[in-house]
Amino acid sequence: MSVPAMPVRSDTFPLDLVETYNRPGPRYTSYPTAPHFTDAFGPSDYLSVVEEANDGPHGDLSLYVHL
């Protein structure tokens, strides 16, 4: 599915920068993804997962910003 480009005012954004990043990207999704949500996963489970993630090896950080 392609999304039509929206008009951009050249006095607001550098057009070469807009053209550089005017590419299709991944579909927005939640994290964790919807199939992982269940009624059986409660606050204590969440705390355990967070603590385990903080104790494990630290890899690259990914950051998602929605504009």
Side-chain angles (χ1 to χ4, degrees), residues 5 18 32 34 44 49:
V18 171
S44 61
V49 170

Side-chain angles (χ1 to χ4, degrees), residues 26-67:
R27 181 182 70 84
Y28 170 78
T29 187
S30 60
Y31 184 81
T33 55
H36 290 88
F37 289 105
T38 68
D39 290 337
F41 190 88
S44 61
D45 298 308
Y46 175 77
L47 183 59
S48 294
V49 170
V50 170
E51 288 173 343
E52 183 179 322
N54 286 335
D55 290 340
H58 296 50
D60 294 336
L61 173 67
S62 294
L63 178 64
Y64 173 84
V65 178
H66 188 98
L67 302 175

